[in-house]
Short mmCIF file of all heavy atoms in Angstrom, two decimals:
data_model
loop_
_atom_site.label_atom_id
_atom_site.label_comp_id
_atom_site.label_asym_id
_atom_site.label_seq_id
_atom_site.Cartn_x
_atom_site.Cartn_y
_atom_site.Cartn_z
N ILE A 1 33.58 4.21 -64.81
CA ILE A 1 34.15 5.52 -65.26
C ILE A 1 33.04 6.57 -65.13
O ILE A 1 33.37 7.69 -64.61
CB ILE A 1 34.77 5.45 -66.71
CG1 ILE A 1 35.92 4.61 -66.77
CG2 ILE A 1 34.99 6.74 -67.29
CD1 ILE A 1 36.48 4.47 -68.20
N ASP A 2 31.86 6.31 -65.44
CA ASP A 2 30.69 7.19 -65.26
C ASP A 2 30.58 7.65 -63.78
O ASP A 2 30.34 8.83 -63.47
CB ASP A 2 29.47 6.57 -65.75
CG ASP A 2 28.31 7.56 -65.62
OD1 ASP A 2 28.24 8.57 -66.45
OD2 ASP A 2 27.36 7.47 -64.82
N GLN A 3 30.69 6.69 -62.80
CA GLN A 3 30.79 7.02 -61.42
C GLN A 3 31.89 7.93 -61.10
O GLN A 3 31.68 8.85 -60.18
CB GLN A 3 30.71 5.69 -60.60
CG GLN A 3 29.49 4.91 -60.71
CD GLN A 3 29.49 3.73 -59.71
OE1 GLN A 3 30.39 3.64 -58.97
NE2 GLN A 3 28.45 2.93 -59.80
N VAL A 4 33.07 7.69 -61.66
CA VAL A 4 34.22 8.51 -61.28
C VAL A 4 33.98 9.96 -61.87
O VAL A 4 34.20 10.93 -61.19
CB VAL A 4 35.49 7.97 -61.83
CG1 VAL A 4 36.69 8.93 -61.65
CG2 VAL A 4 35.80 6.67 -61.19
N VAL A 5 33.52 10.04 -63.09
CA VAL A 5 33.26 11.36 -63.68
C VAL A 5 32.25 12.13 -62.90
O VAL A 5 32.43 13.37 -62.59
CB VAL A 5 32.78 11.12 -65.11
CG1 VAL A 5 32.24 12.51 -65.72
CG2 VAL A 5 33.84 10.59 -66.08
N ASN A 6 31.18 11.49 -62.46
CA ASN A 6 30.10 12.24 -61.71
C ASN A 6 30.20 12.13 -60.14
O ASN A 6 29.34 12.57 -59.56
CB ASN A 6 28.71 11.66 -62.09
CG ASN A 6 28.43 11.92 -63.60
OD1 ASN A 6 28.30 13.02 -64.08
ND2 ASN A 6 28.44 10.81 -64.36
N GLN A 7 31.38 11.51 -59.76
CA GLN A 7 31.64 11.33 -58.31
C GLN A 7 30.47 10.73 -57.57
O GLN A 7 30.01 11.18 -56.59
CB GLN A 7 31.98 12.76 -57.73
CG GLN A 7 33.30 13.35 -58.25
CD GLN A 7 33.84 14.58 -57.45
OE1 GLN A 7 32.98 15.32 -57.12
NE2 GLN A 7 35.07 14.73 -57.46
N VAL A 8 30.07 9.61 -58.05
CA VAL A 8 28.97 8.78 -57.52
C VAL A 8 29.61 7.67 -56.70
O VAL A 8 30.37 6.89 -57.04
CB VAL A 8 28.04 8.25 -58.60
CG1 VAL A 8 26.99 7.45 -57.96
CG2 VAL A 8 27.35 9.38 -59.41
N GLY A 9 29.12 7.59 -55.39
CA GLY A 9 29.47 6.49 -54.47
C GLY A 9 30.97 6.51 -54.06
O GLY A 9 31.65 7.53 -54.38
N THR A 10 31.36 5.42 -53.45
CA THR A 10 32.69 5.43 -52.86
C THR A 10 33.76 5.45 -53.92
O THR A 10 34.74 6.10 -53.94
CB THR A 10 32.87 4.17 -51.97
OG1 THR A 10 31.94 4.11 -50.98
CG2 THR A 10 34.22 4.13 -51.41
N LEU A 11 33.55 4.67 -55.03
CA LEU A 11 34.45 4.61 -56.17
C LEU A 11 34.57 5.92 -56.79
O LEU A 11 35.70 6.37 -57.10
CB LEU A 11 33.99 3.45 -57.20
CG LEU A 11 35.04 3.31 -58.31
CD1 LEU A 11 36.32 2.59 -57.83
CD2 LEU A 11 34.26 2.30 -59.30
N GLY A 12 33.42 6.49 -57.04
CA GLY A 12 33.39 7.90 -57.65
C GLY A 12 34.14 8.96 -56.96
O GLY A 12 34.77 9.80 -57.54
N ALA A 13 33.94 8.80 -55.60
CA ALA A 13 34.48 9.97 -54.75
C ALA A 13 36.00 9.74 -54.42
O ALA A 13 36.75 10.65 -54.37
CB ALA A 13 33.77 9.88 -53.31
N ASN A 14 36.45 8.47 -54.37
CA ASN A 14 37.74 8.24 -53.93
C ASN A 14 38.72 7.65 -55.12
O ASN A 14 39.84 7.44 -54.82
CB ASN A 14 37.79 7.26 -52.68
CG ASN A 14 36.96 7.82 -51.53
OD1 ASN A 14 37.21 8.96 -51.18
ND2 ASN A 14 36.15 6.95 -50.87
N GLY A 15 38.11 7.17 -56.17
CA GLY A 15 38.92 6.60 -57.24
C GLY A 15 39.25 5.23 -56.87
O GLY A 15 38.71 4.56 -55.85
N LEU A 16 40.35 4.68 -57.46
CA LEU A 16 40.73 3.28 -57.30
C LEU A 16 41.61 3.27 -56.04
O LEU A 16 42.77 3.79 -56.16
CB LEU A 16 41.55 2.81 -58.49
CG LEU A 16 41.97 1.32 -58.45
CD1 LEU A 16 40.83 0.38 -58.41
CD2 LEU A 16 42.73 1.03 -59.81
N ARG A 17 41.27 2.62 -55.00
CA ARG A 17 42.05 2.52 -53.74
C ARG A 17 42.42 1.15 -53.55
O ARG A 17 43.57 0.77 -53.02
CB ARG A 17 41.32 2.93 -52.50
CG ARG A 17 40.73 4.48 -52.64
CD ARG A 17 39.95 4.79 -51.41
NE ARG A 17 38.77 3.86 -51.29
CZ ARG A 17 38.10 3.73 -50.17
NH1 ARG A 17 38.36 4.42 -49.08
NH2 ARG A 17 37.07 2.87 -50.12
N ASP A 18 41.57 0.17 -53.85
CA ASP A 18 41.68 -1.31 -53.44
C ASP A 18 41.10 -2.10 -54.68
O ASP A 18 40.00 -2.19 -54.88
CB ASP A 18 40.88 -1.63 -52.21
CG ASP A 18 41.16 -3.05 -51.71
OD1 ASP A 18 41.64 -3.83 -52.53
OD2 ASP A 18 41.05 -3.24 -50.39
N VAL A 19 42.12 -2.68 -55.48
CA VAL A 19 41.82 -3.36 -56.66
C VAL A 19 40.69 -4.59 -56.38
O VAL A 19 39.76 -4.57 -57.07
CB VAL A 19 43.02 -3.98 -57.39
CG1 VAL A 19 42.54 -4.89 -58.49
CG2 VAL A 19 43.73 -2.78 -57.91
N PRO A 20 40.99 -5.46 -55.35
CA PRO A 20 39.96 -6.43 -55.12
C PRO A 20 38.58 -5.91 -54.79
O PRO A 20 37.52 -6.61 -55.05
CB PRO A 20 40.45 -7.24 -54.06
CG PRO A 20 41.90 -7.00 -54.09
CD PRO A 20 42.10 -5.60 -54.52
N LEU A 21 38.44 -4.67 -54.20
CA LEU A 21 37.18 -4.20 -53.85
C LEU A 21 36.49 -3.36 -54.74
O LEU A 21 35.30 -2.94 -54.56
CB LEU A 21 37.49 -3.36 -52.51
CG LEU A 21 37.05 -4.00 -51.07
CD1 LEU A 21 37.27 -2.89 -50.02
CD2 LEU A 21 35.77 -4.57 -51.19
N ALA A 22 37.15 -3.01 -55.91
CA ALA A 22 36.70 -2.00 -56.88
C ALA A 22 35.22 -2.30 -57.41
O ALA A 22 34.40 -1.45 -57.45
CB ALA A 22 37.64 -1.84 -57.99
N MET A 23 35.04 -3.58 -57.73
CA MET A 23 33.78 -4.02 -58.33
C MET A 23 32.71 -3.84 -57.24
O MET A 23 31.49 -3.30 -57.47
CB MET A 23 33.74 -5.39 -58.88
CG MET A 23 32.44 -5.94 -59.31
SD MET A 23 32.50 -7.63 -60.01
CE MET A 23 33.34 -7.18 -61.64
N PHE A 24 32.94 -4.18 -56.10
CA PHE A 24 31.94 -4.16 -54.99
C PHE A 24 31.67 -2.68 -54.60
O PHE A 24 30.56 -2.39 -54.36
CB PHE A 24 32.47 -4.97 -53.71
CG PHE A 24 32.74 -6.36 -53.98
CD1 PHE A 24 34.02 -6.83 -54.12
CD2 PHE A 24 31.69 -7.29 -54.21
CE1 PHE A 24 34.25 -8.24 -54.42
CE2 PHE A 24 31.95 -8.64 -54.59
CZ PHE A 24 33.24 -9.08 -54.63
N GLU A 25 32.69 -1.90 -54.68
CA GLU A 25 32.32 -0.44 -54.42
C GLU A 25 31.48 0.19 -55.54
O GLU A 25 30.62 1.06 -55.20
CB GLU A 25 33.65 0.36 -54.37
CG GLU A 25 34.50 0.05 -53.02
CD GLU A 25 35.86 0.73 -53.05
OE1 GLU A 25 36.26 1.28 -54.06
OE2 GLU A 25 36.26 0.94 -51.88
N MET A 26 31.67 -0.32 -56.79
CA MET A 26 30.87 0.19 -57.90
C MET A 26 29.37 -0.31 -57.57
O MET A 26 28.46 0.49 -57.83
CB MET A 26 31.30 -0.35 -59.19
CG MET A 26 30.48 0.29 -60.38
SD MET A 26 30.87 -0.63 -61.92
CE MET A 26 29.93 -2.03 -61.82
N PHE A 27 29.21 -1.53 -57.17
CA PHE A 27 27.93 -2.10 -57.01
C PHE A 27 27.16 -1.29 -55.85
O PHE A 27 25.91 -1.14 -55.88
CB PHE A 27 27.97 -3.56 -56.58
CG PHE A 27 28.31 -4.49 -57.75
CD1 PHE A 27 28.90 -5.69 -57.46
CD2 PHE A 27 28.02 -4.10 -58.99
CE1 PHE A 27 29.22 -6.52 -58.46
CE2 PHE A 27 28.36 -4.89 -60.07
CZ PHE A 27 29.05 -6.08 -59.70
N ASP A 28 27.91 -0.78 -54.88
CA ASP A 28 27.23 -0.13 -53.69
C ASP A 28 26.46 1.11 -54.23
O ASP A 28 25.43 1.47 -53.54
CB ASP A 28 28.35 0.38 -52.76
CG ASP A 28 28.86 -0.71 -51.93
OD1 ASP A 28 28.29 -1.80 -51.86
OD2 ASP A 28 29.94 -0.58 -51.24
N ALA A 29 26.88 1.67 -55.31
CA ALA A 29 26.14 2.93 -55.71
C ALA A 29 24.99 2.55 -56.65
O ALA A 29 24.36 3.53 -57.27
CB ALA A 29 27.13 3.81 -56.48
N LEU A 30 24.71 1.29 -56.92
CA LEU A 30 23.60 0.92 -57.80
C LEU A 30 22.52 0.31 -57.00
O LEU A 30 22.75 -0.17 -55.86
CB LEU A 30 24.18 -0.24 -58.75
CG LEU A 30 25.33 0.11 -59.70
CD1 LEU A 30 25.70 -1.02 -60.58
CD2 LEU A 30 24.90 1.33 -60.60
N PRO A 31 21.25 0.38 -57.56
CA PRO A 31 20.12 -0.31 -56.97
C PRO A 31 20.46 -1.77 -56.85
O PRO A 31 21.06 -2.31 -57.77
CB PRO A 31 18.94 0.02 -57.76
CG PRO A 31 19.37 1.29 -58.63
CD PRO A 31 20.85 1.20 -58.78
N MET A 32 19.94 -2.39 -55.75
CA MET A 32 20.17 -3.87 -55.55
C MET A 32 21.60 -4.14 -55.52
O MET A 32 22.18 -5.35 -55.83
CB MET A 32 19.64 -4.73 -56.74
CG MET A 32 18.09 -4.59 -56.80
SD MET A 32 17.32 -5.75 -57.95
CE MET A 32 18.10 -5.37 -59.42
N GLY A 33 22.40 -3.22 -54.92
CA GLY A 33 23.94 -3.44 -54.88
C GLY A 33 24.34 -4.62 -54.14
O GLY A 33 25.27 -5.34 -54.48
N THR A 34 23.64 -4.91 -52.92
CA THR A 34 24.04 -5.99 -52.18
C THR A 34 23.75 -7.27 -52.83
O THR A 34 24.60 -8.18 -52.81
CB THR A 34 23.26 -6.09 -50.84
OG1 THR A 34 23.38 -4.85 -50.04
CG2 THR A 34 23.62 -7.20 -49.94
N LEU A 35 22.64 -7.41 -53.60
CA LEU A 35 22.36 -8.60 -54.39
C LEU A 35 23.46 -8.82 -55.54
O LEU A 35 23.94 -10.03 -55.68
CB LEU A 35 20.98 -8.54 -55.12
CG LEU A 35 20.62 -9.69 -56.11
CD1 LEU A 35 20.57 -10.99 -55.31
CD2 LEU A 35 19.34 -9.34 -56.69
N LEU A 36 23.88 -7.79 -56.18
CA LEU A 36 24.87 -7.94 -57.13
C LEU A 36 26.21 -8.36 -56.59
O LEU A 36 26.89 -9.19 -57.20
CB LEU A 36 25.12 -6.44 -57.85
CG LEU A 36 23.92 -5.95 -58.62
CD1 LEU A 36 24.14 -4.50 -59.16
CD2 LEU A 36 23.57 -6.88 -59.86
N SER A 37 26.57 -7.84 -55.35
CA SER A 37 27.82 -8.29 -54.70
C SER A 37 27.74 -9.76 -54.36
O SER A 37 28.74 -10.43 -54.44
CB SER A 37 28.03 -7.38 -53.54
OG SER A 37 28.27 -6.10 -53.83
N ILE A 38 26.60 -10.16 -53.88
CA ILE A 38 26.42 -11.60 -53.46
C ILE A 38 26.65 -12.46 -54.77
O ILE A 38 27.37 -13.50 -54.72
CB ILE A 38 25.12 -11.84 -52.83
CG1 ILE A 38 25.09 -11.18 -51.44
CG2 ILE A 38 24.86 -13.39 -52.64
CD1 ILE A 38 23.72 -11.26 -50.79
N ILE A 39 26.07 -12.08 -55.92
CA ILE A 39 26.21 -12.86 -57.13
C ILE A 39 27.59 -12.84 -57.58
O ILE A 39 28.17 -13.89 -57.94
CB ILE A 39 25.21 -12.23 -58.22
CG1 ILE A 39 23.75 -12.42 -57.85
CG2 ILE A 39 25.49 -13.02 -59.52
CD1 ILE A 39 22.79 -11.80 -58.82
N ALA A 40 28.24 -11.70 -57.46
CA ALA A 40 29.68 -11.57 -57.87
C ALA A 40 30.59 -12.51 -56.97
O ALA A 40 31.48 -13.15 -57.62
CB ALA A 40 30.10 -10.15 -57.76
#
């Protein structure tokens, strides 16, 4: 929600477009996003 409010990253800019991808789009805007996605 913080990313949406501040329009950070893909999720923040576009909102919810693809439910299965939502978590990975959130990770993209964070440091170590690729590592977080692999763990997920």
Side-chain angles (χ1 to χ4, degrees):
I1 290 178
D2 183 72
Q3 288 185 6
V4 173
V5 169
N6 295 294
Q7 295 190 325
V8 175
T10 304
L11 184 67
N14 302 315
L16 184 60
R17 300 177 303 166
D18 187 334
V19 172
L21 260 184
M23 176 177 285
F24 301 105
E25 289 180 343
M26 186 192 77
F27 289 156
D28 284 345
L30 299 177
M32 300 190 295
T34 301
L35 174 62
L36 295 175
S37 292
I38 291 172
I39 295 173

